[in-house]
Amino acid sequence: MRIAFLDEPELEFRGGERHVDIRFGLTNFGPLDGDAATAPHSIRVGLIGTPRTIEGVVAWLQKCRKGIDARPSKQPNLFPRFPGFSRQTAFDSELLLATALQGEVNARELEQLGRRNDKDNALDESVEMFLSQAEHVVEKASPQVIICAPPPELLDAFELKRTPGESGEDREEAGPPREAPPPQRAFHDVLKARGFRLPVPIQMIRPETYGLAKRRSRRGGRESSLQDEATRAWNFHVALYYKAGGTPWRIAKTGEEYTTCYVGISFYWSLDEKSILTSMAQVFDTRGEGVIVRGGPARLDTEDRQPHLAKEDAASLIRDALNTYRREHKNLPARVVVHKTSAYDENEIAGFRDGIEAERVSSMDLMSVYTADTRLFRLGYYPPLRGTFLTLDDKTHVLNLRGSVDFFAGWPGMYVPRTVGFRLDDAEQGPRFLAEEILALSKQNWNNTQFDGGLPITVRAARTVGDILKHVEPGAKLQARYGFYM
Amino acid sequence: MSARRKSYRAPLRRRKALPVQMTLGQQGINFIEKIVLEMGCRWQQTSSTDVGIDGIIELFDPSTREALGIVLHVQSKATERDWDDETDTTFTFPCRREDVDYWVRGNAPVLLIVSRPKTNEAYWVSIKDYFADTNRKQSLRVHFNKKGDRFSVDAYAKLLTLSKPPELGLYLAPVPKSERLISNLVEVRSFGPRLFVADTPLRLREDVFAYFRGTGERAPTAFVLKNKRLITFHDLRERPWKDMCDQGTVEDFESREWAYSAEIDRRNEFVELLNGALEDKLYPDVRLWRKNELFAFSLPGGGRRQIRYVLPSGRQGKRTVLEVYTHEWQGKSYTRYRHWAFEWSFRLYDGSWFLELTPTYLFTWNGRSIDRRHSELLKGIKRREHSPAVLAQLLVWSQYLQREGDLFAEAYPYLSFGPPREFQLDVGIDEKRWLTWEGKEAEKVAASQQRLLEDVIE
């Protein structure tokens, strides 16, 4: 066993400028693609909601345009100011919020739907109200992204309750699904799934983001604390910029490297009574461009209680993932890294190998990536630094993706941070190199501009994507781009 | 007659000596501070390490005396001797590889200031700019020009051009200092050396327990019953085990054949045995709450409970591991128990077995049955607790697991433990500085959490 420390990887912004922090990088240099012809300097934003929510969202976005002051804090870098979103700020991009881009849904009808006992039908109808307005706006005004602003009463009616037994630590977790949970349908997930029929991505905005309501716990518990307004502005605008086709940052290159794409393989339970476990793949490159692919069924092994694919299904899934990636991004990488959220068996390793080789990719690393229970402690108030890397044996390693952060001069989390484990099932690269990649990929979550993410995006995306895919009928149209899922 | 006064002689003992390097180092820093103050700026000394940053120069506008909000990090190196290759106009200064590697990381400007306080000389260089040249970075030697590189009041203008605004988000690498890290991997020191295997007609674990009912002994749980085979550390030739299996099929093996087997089925069986052995070892004071998959201190009679622990040095301490308190709800008084608990897994790494132990709590309403608010209470406690408190619990559990019998009970023969695995990392945290930024409240919490740790760590 041995321990090491991995430096915080830098990100690249406009003009090739680099910084470790997303928000400081964007504020000082601007988005990576700022000088590209395809950069979204002007984003036509569709907005669907009740008159009250539309008014609230527009007012907030107009306020954000000029900047939001930082939350008072003695730690210099943890809560930076939101610089504003306009052609005059580093974002060099503006939101167009014309009335022609707005679609109203009837508040009274939504309220009645929220009170109905047949929850499933009522949820479907409320989603349909939003989507039919969205289709109308898309047809007449060609927005690049649609914001849906449901009122608080609707979300109260169709929120999910958290399952008992959760310990209250960091919520991000990765690992194999144990057993089928009770079927649950949430407004957000159904909206996104049905929203695939639109040609543009949807961004749902919660009332507490723009100040229409106090924070309610999404999961039926007590009210939890809201992020400060500048942070909410940061996260919302970066997500919008990405969904509009922009590239806010990329992982900075460190030298002569293969073009690599990173594939997360995970599973979700179907909603129907058969409780089938279905596989899915999330493919990302170093620019964070992502595509999603749904695969075939998996079986839960009775011995190791992990989901496994048949050899042919594994080959087929990885080929679909790489082909979809090639179709969307017009190139194929020289190297593929696969992060599976559960252990591999021999058939899967053989299947993934066959599939990757059939796509003429010569270099590959197959790893399982999971939230680990191994923890490290310092003899002090703060937990170990993010980047602390522990090798347990030749194949098994753990990494603190969460932990104390030197740039923030603190530990911006609760309790004791979890570690992320990875196991080298069939790898060509060394463990330190692969750990550095995982650390960098933890900074590719477009919904979170605080860079100390607890999971690499390959794995983090799995839960969100699975929650949406389970609402998409087999054979129904899927959107490939990750922007439709986040 | 006066009593003779005894003369007092102080016992001979070694007096404290101040290391020369420390005195010289401080003289160098004092010299820098003097010049910085003459510039009209402010100097803040940091808690330095040999390689880290010694201080920060905060720049002020000399005419308005207003803070410019700009800082420069400084590494000071003082000497009394001649510098290498020294002439009237130049000299060189060799840097260590680890120094340069640290100083060039991050985007914050770093100054190297070399001084000879006894001759009132100091010279400076901007590290990142100087070592941007690859050849210089290879040679690790800085060439100073005594006229151009003098660190004096006149250097102010040049310092201003180097500095970067804090809005840029300045950063360096984490502090290069050695830190001790403790993992939650408690070493398995030994397990039962032999395993006994035999055919059995029994199918359920309950069937095995039934054989012990008549004996007055508690039925052990360290056995595997699978495919009509019984596997255990216990000798299957002895009663009551012999009554449960076909004696003609009893075989014994070295446990290592299961513990280090390449077959996953065998290793899984071994883990099941270890789980059972852990339950047996800890019984009756610590019991398994199977549904919650955790072990917790229990107290059949009810009431508060403390345990004593002994550290390797012999130092002793005690902790309350079962707390009873009452709470009011709708006008009535209720009792609640908070038990120290842990979740666990046995893991095999690098040819050694470990118990991966995660401290937690169990809340019951009567010492046995889970309180209906257990999850919520657990969340609440985790919002308040910090790393030192959790580490302290881990260390107390580790001490408890290492106890090997006493006057009243023999050591459990089939499982014993060592301490948690530790590591030494060469980067760390400047806690004092971070806590200053977090504020007085955080400093108070940190101090109280640290006291929890001091009782259990050596």
Side-chain angles (χ1 to χ4, degrees):
Chain A
M1 286 190 185
R2 56 190 179 278
I3 203 159
F5 178 75
L6 309 181
D7 279 339
E8 187 62 54
E10 289 186 322
L11 302 172
E12 194 179 318
F13 299 90
R14 189 171 185 171
E17 297 286 351
R18 294 180 175 203
H19 205 286
V20 289
D21 184 85
I22 291 165
R23 291 172 290 188
F24 280 89
L26 286 172
T27 302
N28 289 286
F29 310 123
L32 175 76
D33 65 343
D35 293 320
T38 50
H41 293 295
S42 188
I43 303 174
R44 298 173 64 76
V45 180
L47 177 52
I48 314 298
T50 64
R52 186 168 146 238
T53 65
I54 288 176
E55 188 182 289
V57 171
V58 168
W60 189 66
L61 292 177
Q62 283 171 342
K63 179 184 177 188
C64 289
R65 191 173 283 170
K66 298 182 203 128
I68 306 282
D69 284 338
R71 169 184 147 166
S73 170
K74 288 188 185 167
Q75 285 154 311
N77 299 329
L78 186 52
F79 300 108
R81 183 176 188 278
F82 177 68
F85 199 88
S86 69
R87 295 302 303 263
Q88 286 71 48
T89 66
F91 277 103
D92 194 9
S93 177
E94 60 183 349
L95 303 181
L96 300 180
L97 304 168
T99 321
L101 286 158
Q102 293 168 11
E104 280 185 11
V105 290
N106 188 294
R108 191 160 299 163
E109 273 184 55
L110 283 182
E111 211 178 321
Q112 284 167 353
L113 284 170
R115 285 202 292 263
R116 271 169 47 181
N117 290 331
D118 55 331
K119 286 280 177 218
D120 279 352
N121 291 335
L123 172 58
D124 289 341
E125 286 177 38
S126 54
V127 164
E128 195 49 40
M129 282 176 69
F130 276 83
L131 290 180
S132 54
Q133 280 297 322
E135 276 176 321
H136 182 61
V137 165
V138 163
E139 201 181 298
K140 76 174 181 186
S142 306
Q144 288 154 275
V145 66
I146 300 262
I147 297 177
C148 284
E153 302 76 29
L154 188 73
L155 293 176
D156 281 344
F158 299 122
E159 289 281 52
L160 290 177
K161 303 293 177 211
R162 187 182 282 281
T163 50
E166 293 190 48
S167 64
E169 296 179 55
D170 268 356
R171 288 182 193 150
E172 290 186 322
E173 247 190 60
R178 302 284 159 137
E179 54 200 26
Q184 294 177 322
R185 303 174 85 231
F187 180 84
H188 168 275
D189 301 335
V190 177
L191 179 72
K192 292 285 185 110
R194 302 278 159 80
F196 285 163
R197 70 187 199 235
L198 301 174
V200 295
I202 292 173
Q203 173 90 349
M204 196 184 91
I205 186 168
R206 293 182 178 276
E208 50 267 28
T209 302
Y210 55 95
L212 188 62
K214 279 190 188 171
R215 175 76 165 202
R216 72 193 32 71
S217 170
R218 281 178 220 188
R219 314 294 181 184
R222 48 182 180 149
E223 194 175 293
S224 50
S225 60
L226 189 57
Q227 288 172 328
D228 63 288
E229 194 176 14
T231 300
R232 292 183 337 247
W234 270 113
N235 294 342
F236 185 82
H237 285 83
V238 165
L240 211 63
Y241 187 87
Y242 177 76
K243 288 182 180 185
T247 309
W249 64 84
R250 65 172 294 158
I251 298 168
K253 283 187 184 172
T254 52
E256 289 297 322
E257 294 149 356
Y258 289 126
T259 329
T260 302
C261 83
Y262 303 91
V263 184
I265 302 283
S266 50
F267 305 86
Y268 64 92
W269 291 102
S270 62
L271 277 180
D272 62 26
E273 290 162 17
K274 294 177 195 159
S275 292
I276 291 170
L277 204 51
T278 308
S279 60
M280 58 185 172
Q282 307 82 241
V283 190
F284 294 92
D285 63 13
T286 52
R287 289 167 68 95
E289 302 282 358
V291 296
I292 307 297
V293 165
R294 181 157 61 180
R299 60 177 177 82
L300 200 62
D301 190 277
T302 48
E303 287 294 325
D304 67 5
R305 296 191 299 165
Q306 309 254 324
H308 293 289
L309 290 166
K311 182 179 171 187
E312 299 70 30
D313 288 335
S316 183
L317 178 59
I318 201 78
R319 291 193 73 176
D320 277 346
L322 293 176
N323 279 322
T324 305
Y325 180 85
R326 176 164 49 204
R327 200 169 54 240
E328 293 290 333
H329 302 298
K330 313 287 186 277
N331 68 74
L332 204 58
R335 173 177 168 252
V336 172
V337 177
V338 181
H339 292 166
K340 184 165 177 276
T341 56
S342 53
Y344 293 79
D345 64 21
E346 288 170 350
N347 292 324
E348 282 169 323
I349 292 179
F352 286 132
R353 279 205 154 269
D354 287 351
I356 289 168
E357 283 166 4
E359 294 305 319
R360 301 183 305 281
V361 174
S362 55
S363 178
M364 70 193 85
D365 296 285
L366 306 183
M367 307 151 63
S368 42
V369 177
Y370 50 90
T371 302
D373 290 315
T374 309
R375 299 192 201 215
L376 289 163
F377 298 85
R378 293 177 57 255
L379 300 188
Y381 179 68
Y382 294 99
L385 286 162
R386 168 178 151 92
T388 304
F389 173 47
L390 176 62
T391 290
L392 296 169
D393 60 30
D394 286 346
K395 285 193 175 295
T396 321
H397 312 266
V398 295
L399 181 54
N400 268 91
L401 291 183
R402 297 281 282 152
S404 297
V405 180
D406 204 64
F407 185 73
F408 298 145
W411 153 227
M414 222 172 52
Y415 197 59
V416 177
R418 302 286 296 271
T419 53
V420 164
F422 65 93
R423 191 184 151 77
L424 308 185
D425 291 274
D426 190 357
E428 294 173 16
Q429 300 292 335
R432 189 185 174 110
F433 181 83
L434 295 169
E436 284 168 345
E437 288 188 321
I438 289 176
L439 189 58
L441 287 168
S442 73
K443 303 176 87 152
Q444 291 287 66
N445 177 6
W446 308 114
N447 280 323
N448 184 6
T449 54
Q450 186 175 310
F451 66 78
D452 59 331
L455 290 171
I457 189 62
T458 40
V459 158
R460 195 194 182 280
R463 190 168 175 183
T464 331
V465 170
D467 282 347
I468 294 169
L469 279 183
K470 66 176 62 166
H471 298 289
V472 181
E473 299 296 326
K477 179 186 175 189
L478 277 189
Q479 288 286 358
R481 294 189 86 110
Y482 176 59
F484 282 82
Y485 295 80
M486 54 168 274
Chain B
M1 191 161 79
S2 65
R4 230 167 131 184
R5 249 175 146 184
K6 269 189 181 168
S7 65
Y8 178 71
R9 270 185 179 175
L12 279 178
R13 58 182 171 211
R14 199 185 277 177
R15 295 196 180 106
K16 259 201 277 201
L18 194 59
V20 168
Q21 204 49 41
M22 198 185 282
T23 323
L24 188 54
Q26 192 58 48
Q27 284 173 354
I29 285 169
N30 292 348
F31 189 62
I32 293 171
E33 185 178 20
K34 177 171 159 298
I35 296 168
V36 168
L37 290 172
E38 285 169 5
M39 282 181 191
C41 299
R42 185 186 291 165
W43 167 258
Q44 187 189 332
Q45 190 167 344
T46 56
S47 46
S48 89
T49 64
D50 191 36
V51 179
I53 296 301
D54 290 307
I56 296 172
I57 299 174
E58 189 183 350
L59 296 178
F60 282 68
D61 184 323
S63 50
T64 62
R65 302 174 83 83
E66 278 176 359
L68 296 172
I70 301 170
V71 298
L72 293 165
H73 295 84
V74 173
Q75 170 69 48
S76 165
K77 298 281 189 191
T79 187
E80 291 179 319
R81 298 194 287 250
D82 292 351
W83 284 296
D84 292 354
D85 312 308
E86 186 170 0
T87 68
D88 289 340
T89 54
T90 60
F91 66 92
T92 67
F93 184 85
C95 298
R96 296 184 307 179
R97 169 68 60 198
E98 61 262 35
D99 287 3
V100 174
D101 283 347
Y102 175 66
W103 294 333
V104 299
R105 280 146 74 193
N107 65 357
V110 177
L111 309 187
L112 169 65
I113 301 180
V114 301
S115 64
R116 193 162 52 203
K118 74 175 185 188
T119 57
N120 281 327
E121 289 174 270
Y123 303 95
W124 71 282
V125 68
S126 165
I127 286 288
K128 283 184 168 68
D129 295 314
Y130 191 86
F131 286 111
D133 182 306
T134 341
N135 292 331
R136 285 175 177 172
K137 203 167 174 199
Q138 281 203 343
S139 84
L140 296 177
R141 192 167 278 276
V142 180
H143 293 253
F144 282 96
N145 176 302
K146 285 187 176 180
K147 192 176 172 193
D149 298 332
R150 187 150 194 129
F151 187 68
S152 66
V153 172
D154 297 331
Y156 175 82
K158 273 194 190 169
L159 294 185
L160 206 53
T161 63
L162 279 181
S163 56
K164 293 184 183 176
E167 292 79 40
L168 197 59
L170 301 177
Y171 57 96
L172 296 166
V175 178
K177 64 188 247 202
S178 185
E179 285 207 345
R180 184 177 167 196
L181 296 187
I182 299 179
S183 75
N184 66 340
L185 295 170
V186 177
E187 292 174 4
V188 172
R189 180 158 283 158
S190 69
F191 42 78
R194 302 204 71 78
L195 283 184
F196 295 83
V197 186
D199 291 350
T200 175
L202 305 185
R203 291 189 304 114
L204 302 174
R205 290 179 75 83
E206 266 305 314
D207 299 337
V208 172
F209 299 148
Y211 274 85
F212 280 86
R213 263 182 223 126
T215 64
E217 277 178 54
R218 174 187 168 266
T221 53
F223 65 89
V224 171
L225 188 57
K226 195 171 155 191
N227 300 330
K228 294 194 175 176
R229 270 195 342 158
L230 191 53
I231 309 171
T232 179
F233 292 118
H234 298 271
D235 190 340
L236 290 176
R237 295 173 294 228
E238 292 181 3
R239 284 221 141 85
W241 297 101
K242 68 184 284 187
D243 300 326
M244 299 179 216
C245 50
D246 181 347
Q247 286 297 293
T249 64
V250 174
E251 293 179 271
D252 67 297
F253 302 89
E254 282 197 25
S255 299
R256 298 176 59 81
E257 290 188 42
W258 264 254
Y260 306 112
S261 171
E263 292 172 28
I264 193 157
D265 286 349
R266 271 212 174 178
R267 286 213 310 277
N268 287 346
E269 285 171 358
F270 188 72
V271 167
E272 207 179 320
L273 284 168
L274 289 179
N275 287 338
L278 182 63
E279 189 179 349
D280 291 339
K281 179 182 173 82
L282 293 174
Y283 187 88
D285 293 340
V286 177
R287 299 191 189 200
L288 175 64
W289 264 258
R290 206 170 295 276
K291 195 176 160 204
N292 295 78
E293 293 182 312
L294 52 77
F295 282 98
F297 274 103
S298 73
L299 192 68
R304 191 169 182 259
R305 177 164 187 187
Q306 289 191 320
I307 56 159
R308 291 196 167 276
Y309 55 85
V310 182
L311 296 173
S313 65
R315 185 157 65 98
Q316 294 188 25
K318 62 182 178 189
R319 278 283 196 278
T320 303
V321 295
L322 184 48
E323 190 70 75
V324 187
Y325 53 100
T326 53
H327 65 105
E328 299 284 325
W329 189 61
Q330 294 190 348
K332 283 190 184 167
S333 197
Y334 294 89
T335 304
R336 182 173 282 142
Y337 292 73
R338 187 181 69 212
H339 310 235
W340 271 34
F342 68 84
E343 294 165 335
W344 86 102
S345 285
F346 281 100
R347 306 273 187 205
L348 177 63
Y349 296 128
D350 248 355
S352 297
W353 280 94
F354 295 90
L355 173 69
E356 187 179 72
L357 189 153
T358 307
T360 186
Y361 295 94
L362 175 72
F363 291 92
T364 62
W365 59 269
N366 59 358
R368 286 185 309 279
S369 310
I370 304 278
D371 191 298
R372 63 185 173 78
R373 291 184 62 217
H374 163 79
S375 296
E376 194 189 319
L377 293 165
L378 191 59
K379 263 193 247 180
I381 218 170
K382 286 184 174 178
R383 263 187 226 117
R384 295 190 301 275
E385 276 195 343
H386 299 265
S387 192
V390 184
L391 176 57
Q393 279 184 51
L394 169 65
L395 293 173
V396 172
W397 273 119
S398 157
Q399 280 301 319
Y400 187 80
L401 287 167
Q402 288 177 69
R403 290 184 337 174
E404 290 297 343
D406 53 32
L407 281 174
F408 305 102
E410 285 180 4
Y412 181 73
Y414 303 124
L415 188 58
S416 72
F417 294 97
R421 187 60 70 93
E422 292 191 17
F423 303 90
Q424 210 70 24
L425 187 62
D426 55 7
V427 293
I429 288 171
D430 186 346
E431 281 220 351
K432 211 170 151 193
R433 188 162 66 96
W434 287 16
L435 281 168
T436 316
W437 277 341
E438 290 212 45
K440 288 265 176 279
E441 200 48 49
E443 284 175 315
K444 260 197 265 180
V445 170
S448 77
Q449 294 268 309
Q450 202 60 22
R451 280 193 289 275
L452 289 174
L453 199 50
E454 277 159 13
D455 285 343
V456 296
I457 193 82
E458 292 188 321

